[in-house]
Amino acid sequence: MELQVTNSPFNQEQAELLNRLLPTLTDTQRIWLGGYIAASLGTAVAASNAPVSAPLAVLTENAPAISKEVTVLFGSQTGNSDRLAKKLTKKLEENGFQVTVSAMGSYKSNNLKKVENLLIVVSTQGEGEPPDNAIPFYEFLHSKRAPKLDSLRYSVLALGDTSYEFFCQTGKDFDKRLEELGGKQLTPRVDCDVDFDEPAAEWMNQVLGALSEGSSAQTTGTASQSAVTAEVESEYSRTNPFRAEVLENLNLNGRGSDRETRHIELSLEGSGLQYEPGDSLGIYPENHPRLVDELIEAFGWNADELVPVGKNGEERALREALLTYYEITVLTKPLLTQVAELTSNPELTSLLSAGHEAELRTYLAEHDLLDLVQDFNLKGVSARSFTALLRKIPARLYSIASSLKANPDEVHLTVRTVRYENQGRERYGVCSVQLAERVEAGDTLPVFIQNNPNFKLPESGDTPIIMIGPGTGVAPFRAFLGEREETGAEGKTWLFYGDQHFSTDFLYQVEWQRWLKEGVLTRMDVAFSRDTDQKVYVQHRMLEKSKEIYQWLQEGAAIYICGDEKKMAHDVHAALATILEQEGGLSPEEAADYLTQMQQQKRYQRDVY
């Protein structure tokens, strides 16, 4: 609201000065100024005993106090929500708030009815499902045991990916349910796509501003301190990636294999980047030059035309922008909606209309931007207007396959190359094919560390661990065993590994054999699905060893699963439940509760995708 003589106690000159100043202030400066005026006003009132006018009364101790206690809950699968929740917590604490921060899986749900200010940061997993560590709280909130929350103020930051049908569904569910229970929105929910840093920062500022309005606490000291506080981190991050030199790039599969799996070794020397087993490495990839050239030709564009990238006014040549900045291989419903509005294309509008949902889902799953141009005859649309609709190419996350203790200043990856044919044209994984075809030793890649606190070795090296990782899902377990070898951990280790053929697809076979011989790996079971008449997978090997697995669980073993979320992880989960029922005599409900308790105890962790 703009100050005027008619709506404030200020004269014209004062109002003009304030209108010029206030929009330039940061949130911290506004809060500090509010505290300063309140303190000055309190001194003046004590000295003169003069009455205070109504517009300024909100700054006095007579105003209704808004609680400075804030609860921040996060649900995270890969660590993004965790990181943002901790960043939010730090921001709030610097501005004088008392913050309780917790993973949803560790939060005592009965405390919720006492909370006045609740901030939720949550991602969406799979087909609109909550992440593993959010499931208990999600189920509690949606049960009959959930309390009335009439005194609650809340806000939700939802992380997701618009290429999935149920974009940010978990965040939407929390927002709706909290409102149903009587909660009042502190600020509107914000739904973030894969490039979430800017909208997340804006949401945090909005939340801080809303919480600060009418607050009676003095924040002068903390606000002054926050102005000079800097985050203690490596200078390299997802927003400022490190150019890591490629040391090694090898194909792990034998001759004759249907698969190509690259073992990539990168140097982190000079970066200050640190990681632990279970963390991931993010790589910002480049699109395939052939696809970029075909796209430019199909649109009838000029490769050298300048187009904007980002929000800071930067411009790049069109071909470079399509190679390095814009996503061109994934279609989303929001993108198609914007293209339909831009082009007024009747066929595209029809595809997006009610009654065509199944057809739209199929089209989005099986086509890319080049298909869109050709199928809907979009040639002639201007490059500047069209690229403005495209989102930034997201980083690809890969489970780290090395221990920093065992390989100082290095990080290793295990990446399966994705190639297939569809609609008469060869398709390929953006990053995996770049690594396989266009990256050699000596080249550099823009990388960052993605910490994942939800996939970590037990604190005690004596704890037995069972690792289930078919295919490239075995990558983090190479890191786990490398770490345990370096630290001299005594706990038993058991690896279940599977792929297609023993002779060509047994990734890291020599290393597993060495660790078995030296006792770092206690036992290993393998399943090669194409070597037998009937396909055998890791879950079948688990069921064959059900008695031994149950005994390990009774001894306190922790279970880790890495790999495909849609099928493998569900099949392995079902196998674990079956083992608990058969060997432990549990009912299906009791087995499910047992696994939930293991997740809450961090004895059952998954890194699935």
Side-chain angles (χ1 to χ4, degrees):
M1 181 179 70
E2 186 170 284
L3 290 174
Q4 300 175 6
V5 176
T6 55
N7 68 4
S8 74
F10 304 112
N11 62 37
Q12 186 65 40
E13 183 179 0
Q14 291 171 324
E16 290 175 357
L17 287 170
L18 287 169
N19 284 330
R20 286 201 297 271
L21 172 65
L22 292 175
T24 69
L25 298 181
T26 64
D27 290 326
T28 298
Q29 289 169 330
R30 289 172 186 265
I31 295 166
W32 186 95
L33 186 60
Y36 176 79
I37 293 174
S40 302
L41 188 61
T43 303
V45 169
S48 65
N49 219 13
V52 181
S53 60
L56 293 177
V58 292
L59 295 173
T60 73
E61 58 188 33
N62 294 325
I66 292 177
S67 173
K68 298 290 286 187
E69 295 181 0
V70 181
T71 297
V72 177
L73 300 181
F74 61 88
S76 184
Q77 195 73 36
T78 63
N80 285 328
S81 294
D82 186 332
R83 179 173 66 84
L84 289 173
K86 288 171 181 172
K87 186 175 182 179
L88 171 63
T89 297
K90 181 177 180 181
K91 191 179 185 76
L92 290 168
E93 288 177 340
E94 287 174 344
N95 286 282
F97 292 91
Q98 291 81 52
V99 185
T100 299
V101 60
S102 173
M104 291 179 180
S106 304
Y107 184 68
K108 293 183 179 179
S109 302
N110 289 336
N111 291 337
L112 184 62
K113 56 181 175 288
K114 305 173 187 175
V115 175
E116 292 184 38
N117 298 310
L118 175 65
L119 304 176
I120 283 181
V121 185
V122 67
S123 61
T124 294
Q125 181 73 7
E127 301 300 312
E129 302 156 2
D132 288 351
N133 71 349
I135 292 174
F137 183 69
Y138 181 93
E139 291 180 345
F140 166 79
L141 207 64
H142 287 81
S143 72
K144 294 180 180 179
R145 294 182 295 120
K148 278 293 183 183
L149 301 173
D150 295 328
S151 61
L152 180 74
R153 303 194 310 161
Y154 73 91
S155 187
V156 177
L157 179 69
L159 303 187
D161 183 339
T162 51
S163 65
Y164 286 84
E165 181 180 0
F166 300 101
F167 172 60
C168 287
Q169 188 62 50
T170 303
K172 294 173 182 176
D173 291 346
F174 274 120
D175 191 20
K176 179 182 178 182
R177 184 57 176 159
L178 289 170
E179 184 179 28
E180 290 173 350
L181 294 171
K184 304 295 187 296
Q185 271 194 346
L186 183 69
T187 63
R189 185 188 75 247
V190 170
D191 297 336
C192 299
D193 202 355
V194 287
D195 190 20
F196 56 78
D197 291 283
E198 285 189 15
E202 292 173 5
W203 175 80
M204 290 183 194
N205 287 335
Q206 291 169 5
V207 164
L208 180 59
L211 286 169
S212 301
E213 288 178 6
S215 174
S216 61
Q218 298 297 315
T219 59
T220 305
T222 55
S224 298
Q225 180 183 358
S226 71
V228 295
T229 301
E231 291 189 10
V232 182
E233 297 177 344
S234 166
E235 63 179 301
Y236 299 104
S237 65
R238 62 179 292 124
T239 54
N240 181 34
F242 174 69
R243 298 292 309 195
E245 182 183 354
V246 178
L247 303 174
E248 200 77 73
N249 187 347
L250 304 171
N251 182 8
L252 294 175
N253 294 96
R255 183 176 300 172
S257 174
D258 293 334
R259 301 187 160 186
E260 180 180 1
T261 311
R262 311 302 299 191
H263 172 77
I264 311 290
E265 298 183 4
L266 298 160
S267 171
L268 297 179
E269 186 175 358
S271 69
L273 291 171
Q274 303 287 316
Y275 65 86
E276 297 177 350
D279 290 340
S280 297
L281 187 79
I283 300 177
Y284 283 106
E286 293 186 3
N287 288 308
H288 202 296
R290 182 167 63 246
L291 180 59
V292 168
D293 292 338
E294 290 172 346
L295 190 61
I296 291 173
E297 181 180 357
F299 267 114
W301 287 342
N302 176 359
D304 297 323
E305 179 183 351
L306 293 178
V307 293
V309 292
K311 298 180 179 179
N312 299 320
E314 180 188 352
E315 292 191 340
R316 295 183 195 172
L318 175 62
R319 188 174 189 274
E320 182 190 354
L322 293 174
L323 275 173
T324 63
Y325 189 84
Y326 286 117
E327 180 169 70
I328 61 174
T329 59
V330 176
L331 296 179
T332 67
K333 184 178 179 181
L335 173 61
L336 263 63
T337 301
Q338 290 177 297
V339 173
E341 292 172 355
L342 175 67
T343 62
S344 301
N345 185 286
E347 291 83 6
L348 188 52
T349 301
S350 175
L351 179 63
L352 290 160
S353 63
H356 295 80
E357 289 81 7
E359 184 183 352
L360 176 61
R361 276 195 298 271
T362 300
Y363 191 86
L364 293 174
E366 298 180 356
H367 297 79
D368 62 13
L369 200 56
L370 181 57
D371 294 321
L372 185 71
V373 180
Q374 295 172 337
D375 293 345
F376 295 95
N377 192 25
L378 301 181
K379 186 170 185 176
V381 178
S382 84
R384 291 185 71 89
S385 59
F386 195 92
T387 55
L389 307 181
L390 300 178
R391 68 179 185 176
K392 183 180 177 182
I393 189 170
R396 269 51 173 184
L397 294 178
Y398 296 103
S399 301
I400 291 175
S402 57
S403 160
L404 195 59
K405 288 185 175 70
N407 306 93
D409 286 333
E410 290 184 15
V411 61
H412 301 173
L413 303 177
T414 311
V415 181
R416 180 148 289 164
T417 307
V418 177
R419 296 188 184 92
Y420 61 98
E421 188 173 303
N422 184 38
Q423 309 289 323
R425 181 159 61 86
E426 184 182 357
R427 317 288 170 130
Y428 23 70
V430 175
C431 193
S432 66
V433 167
Q434 179 188 355
L435 294 174
E437 296 181 356
R438 309 194 304 279
V439 171
E440 300 176 349
D443 293 340
T444 62
L445 292 167
V447 305
F448 61 90
I449 298 297
Q450 175 81 16
N451 299 118
N452 186 0
N454 303 313
F455 200 73
K456 285 287 173 283
L457 280 165
E459 290 185 9
S460 171
D462 294 332
T463 302
I465 59 174
I466 300 173
M467 303 164 285
I468 302 135
T472 57
V474 82
F477 304 134
R478 182 176 182 265
F480 278 21
L481 293 173
E483 184 85 357
R484 282 205 154 186
E485 180 180 35
E486 289 297 314
T487 59
E490 299 289 335
K492 297 187 296 183
T493 58
W494 190 351
L495 175 63
F496 287 86
Y497 171 76
D499 215 310
Q500 290 190 350
H501 299 284
F502 172 86
S503 60
T504 59
D505 305 321
F506 198 165
L507 307 182
Y508 302 116
Q509 179 184 2
V510 173
E511 294 186 44
W512 308 131
Q513 290 174 332
R514 178 178 68 81
W515 276 326
L516 281 167
K517 182 179 179 180
E518 296 174 357
V520 177
L521 181 57
T522 308
R523 61 186 297 177
M524 182 176 188
D525 282 273
V526 297
F528 292 99
S529 60
R530 304 302 193 273
D531 284 346
T532 53
D533 292 336
Q534 188 171 359
K535 292 180 181 178
V536 178
Y537 298 107
V538 286
Q539 64 268 22
H540 300 128
R541 296 293 186 228
M542 292 171 63
L543 291 171
E544 291 171 3
K545 301 295 193 303
S546 61
K547 283 184 170 57
E548 295 96 324
I549 288 177
Y550 184 73
Q551 182 59 42
W552 279 50
L553 293 180
Q554 294 301 102
E555 295 171 4
I559 291 183
Y560 298 87
I561 301 172
C562 182
D564 169 59
E565 192 270 340
K566 289 186 177 178
K567 182 145 182 64
M568 182 278 296
H570 286 277
D571 291 341
V572 168
H573 184 88
L576 287 171
T578 299
I579 289 169
L580 291 170
E581 293 169 30
Q582 290 180 351
E583 307 301 334
L586 303 183
S587 68
E589 294 75 20
E590 289 170 335
D593 288 342
Y594 189 102
L595 290 173
T596 298
Q597 290 174 15
M598 285 189 65
Q599 286 180 319
Q600 293 174 327
Q601 297 163 359
K602 297 188 176 180
R603 286 181 54 212
Y604 180 21
Q605 300 182 32
R606 307 192 311 164
D607 179 12
V608 295
Y609 38 84

